[in-house]
């Protein structure tokens, strides 16, 4: 089957409306591949891009999406045997980077000043055919289902990296804040696979049921708890609080609470990106309890290889719901209301 001239896409127009329409199929540049996207996860970052609520300029008109799983259908003249037509690959948030700056050379490609971001500074995966830099696509092993693996390409890689950044060791406890969302659900699975004990924090009974199913040892409901700091500390076996906190929530308050319940010498890893939000911690307590507070931003290419390898080995099992690409606005509506337990994946028409 040849590559068509036209394709279906969800386009954010310059007036910020989201329109499902036919547009031309893009052509890959010399160092790029063209990927026929089969499925794409819907990350809360796509909603930030749709709402334009971050202090970072986005391309407009814009096609969102950065958890795309599909098949390479064409490649540019400079792409060698490292990626071939017919192979299954993933298109991630980091669509490309310069590969030559200090950050790229040291394996911190997400920090590259010339990084291109899928579904933000370049068109993403909510279309049938997407362009990505050959050096940055992730190889998806044969036999791995493209719908289930899609959320690994952002949510999975990001939380895997964040857990490594936390320094938590097997047997230690980690609080996952926003545990019932897309990143949170996968964070629970990676944490368990890494030998960590999970305290899940989120709101509502549907998310409670999901967290229990995913193996959390405790669930603290932020909508019901009268003393969240006490409840989180009490959920650890010795009452001293979690060794690490992974913040993947989409509101500001948890970013200001974590320093109160993390264990002394513990680490807080900020990953969620609520608009206009600030981290807060008392200087005295942070100093005398030797608390470490840091950010973590997606992952490099090797983090992608490792996160996909955990998945391919059957260690990461996460429920997801699939809807057609045309239903993307409904997914955004549910996401805005905080009603999504786990991840939605959109099926791209073929
Ligand atoms: P999501 O909507 O699926 O999940 C967010 C969860 O946070 C929801 O379950 C919600 O109920 C929960 N929540 C809201 N307020 C809370 C509170 N006070 N306490 C506990 N839980 C609370 O979103 P997602 O796709 O998992 O993304 C989460 C955030 O991570 C977004 O801001 C996204 O942009 C960001 N993100 C960051 C990176 C990175 O590299 N740092 C990568 C991907 C996504
Ligand atoms: Zn994402
Ligand atoms: Zn660079």
């Amino acid at each position: 089957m040849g590559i068509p001239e036209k394709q279906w896409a969800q386009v954010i127009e310059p007036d910020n409306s989201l329109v499902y329409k036919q547009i031309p199929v893009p052509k890959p540049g010399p160092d790029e591949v063209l990927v026929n996207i089969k499925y794409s996860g819907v990350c809360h970052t796509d909603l930030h891009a749709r709402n334009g609520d971050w202090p970072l300029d986005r391309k407009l008109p814009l096609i969102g999406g950065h958890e795309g799983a599909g098949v390479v259908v064409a490649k540019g003249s400079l792409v060698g045997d490292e990626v071939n037509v017919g192979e299954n690959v993933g298109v991630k948030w980091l669509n490309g980077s310069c590969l030559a700056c200090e950050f790229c050379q040291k394996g911190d490609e997400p920090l590259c000043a010339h990084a291109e971001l899928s579904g933000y500074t370049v068109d993403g995966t909510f279309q049938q055919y997407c362009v990505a830099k050959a050096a940055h696509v992730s190889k998806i092993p044969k036999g791995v289902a493209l719908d289930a693996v899609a959320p690994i390409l952002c949510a999975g890689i990001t939380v895997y990296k964040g857990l490594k950044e936390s320094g938590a060791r097997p047997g230690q406890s980690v609080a996952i804040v926003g545990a019932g969302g897309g990143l949170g659900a996968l964070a629970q699975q990676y944490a368990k696979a890494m030998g960590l004990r999970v305290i899940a924090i989120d709101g509502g009974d549907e998310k409670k049921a999901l967290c229990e199913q995913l193996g959390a040892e405790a669930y603290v409901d932020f909508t019901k708890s009268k003393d969240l700091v006490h409840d989180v500390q009490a959920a650890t076996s010795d009452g001293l609080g979690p060794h690490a906190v992974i913040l993947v929530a989409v509101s500001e308050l948890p970013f200001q609470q974590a320093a109160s319940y993390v264990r002394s010498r513990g680490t807080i890893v900020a990953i969620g990106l609520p608009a206009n939000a600030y981290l807060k911690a008392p200087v005295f307590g942070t100093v005398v309890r030797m608390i470490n507070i840091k950010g973590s931003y997606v992952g490099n290419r090797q983090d992608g290889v490792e996160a996909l390898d955990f998945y391919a080995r059957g260690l990461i099992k996460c429920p997801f719901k699939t809807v057609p690409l045309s239903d993307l606005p409904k997914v955004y509506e549910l996401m805005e209301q905080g009603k999504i337990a786990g991840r939605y994946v959109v099926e791209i028409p073929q």
Side-chain angles (χ1 to χ4, degrees):
M1 238 176 54
I3 300 163
E5 292 288 316
K6 292 255 174 184
Q7 59 158 345
W8 285 99
Q10 286 279 9
V11 183
I12 302 168
E13 301 286 4
D15 70 358
N16 221 38
S17 58
L18 183 64
V19 181
Y20 188 51
K21 65 178 190 183
Q22 285 216 302
I23 58 159
V25 170
K27 303 230 177 323
D31 59 346
E32 293 173 335
V33 291
L34 183 68
V35 183
N36 174 210
I37 303 290
K38 306 286 186 191
Y39 295 93
S40 180
V42 185
C43 178
H44 206 109
T45 292
D46 298 315
L47 183 58
H48 293 296
R50 197 231 168 296
N51 293 342
D53 63 13
W54 281 348
L56 179 67
D57 285 339
R58 59 195 166 140
K59 167 187 181 291
L60 280 177
L62 172 69
I63 298 160
H66 59 275
E67 286 184 347
V71 183
V72 177
V73 290
K75 62 182 196 178
S77 57
L78 294 177
V79 181
D81 270 349
E82 66 276 15
V83 195
N84 285 307
V85 169
E87 283 177 342
N88 289 352
V89 295
V91 176
K92 299 164 293 185
W93 176 246
L94 206 65
N95 187 284
S97 71
C98 83
L99 301 178
C101 71
E102 180 185 326
F103 297 113
C104 283
Q105 301 266 30
K106 286 184 170 169
D108 267 334
E109 301 99 278
L111 307 183
C112 176
H114 303 288
E116 296 285 10
L117 312 173
S118 306
Y120 205 93
T121 63
V122 294
D123 287 332
T125 56
F126 296 147
Q127 57 181 337
Q128 291 174 281
Y129 294 89
C130 175
V131 164
K133 295 288 180 197
H136 275 278
V137 291
S138 287
K139 293 220 179 191
I140 299 176
K142 281 258 174 278
V144 168
L146 294 182
D147 52 355
V149 78
I152 303 299
L153 295 164
C154 175
I157 291 170
T158 300
V159 300
Y160 171 66
K161 173 73 158 190
L163 284 160
K164 285 200 293 184
E165 288 286 316
S166 81
R169 302 288 186 85
Q172 295 186 332
S173 58
V174 55
I176 296 170
V177 191
L183 266 65
L186 281 166
Q188 295 187 59
Q189 290 282 285
Y190 278 97
K192 259 186 69 181
M194 293 159 105
L196 301 169
R197 304 177 65 176
V198 171
I199 299 162
I201 307 172
D202 210 309
D205 289 339
E206 196 190 352
K207 292 184 181 169
K208 177 173 192 237
L210 175 67
C211 295
E212 282 168 358
Q213 183 194 337
L214 293 174
E217 289 187 25
Y219 178 77
V220 178
D221 190 326
F222 78 90
T223 64
K224 291 184 184 153
S225 170
K226 295 208 167 56
D227 185 349
L228 190 103
V229 171
H230 169 267
D231 290 349
V232 174
Q233 288 183 326
T236 51
S237 47
D238 55 8
L240 295 177
H243 296 81
V245 182
I246 303 290
L247 290 166
V248 286
V250 283
S251 56
E252 183 176 29
L253 185 62
F255 289 77
Q256 308 195 336
Q257 288 171 325
S260 303
Y261 57 69
V262 71
R263 180 177 296 247
S264 293
R265 224 187 217 302
T267 300
I268 297 166
V269 184
I271 293 177
L273 292 159
N276 308 311
Y278 286 83
L279 280 155
K280 201 169 139 190
V283 170
F284 187 81
T286 305
V287 172
V288 304
R289 301 208 300 113
M290 295 183 74
I291 292 167
N292 186 11
I293 302 174
K294 65 203 295 196
S296 187
Y297 180 40
V298 288
N300 64 19
R301 291 173 292 165
Q302 179 61 20
D303 295 316
V305 171
E306 293 170 18
L308 282 163
D309 184 58
F310 269 71
Y311 182 81
R313 285 185 287 132
L315 297 169
I316 310 299
K317 294 207 168 62
C318 234
F320 59 94
K321 289 191 182 119
T322 308
V323 296
L325 177 62
S326 53
D327 279 357
L328 183 62
K330 290 183 198 159
V331 179
Y332 284 152
E333 223 169 277
L334 289 170
M335 190 175 262
E336 204 128 50
Q337 297 162 356
K339 282 191 184 149
I340 298 179
R343 217 18 147 216
Y344 268 80
V345 170
V346 290
E347 182 171 5
I348 312 294
Q350 296 299 313

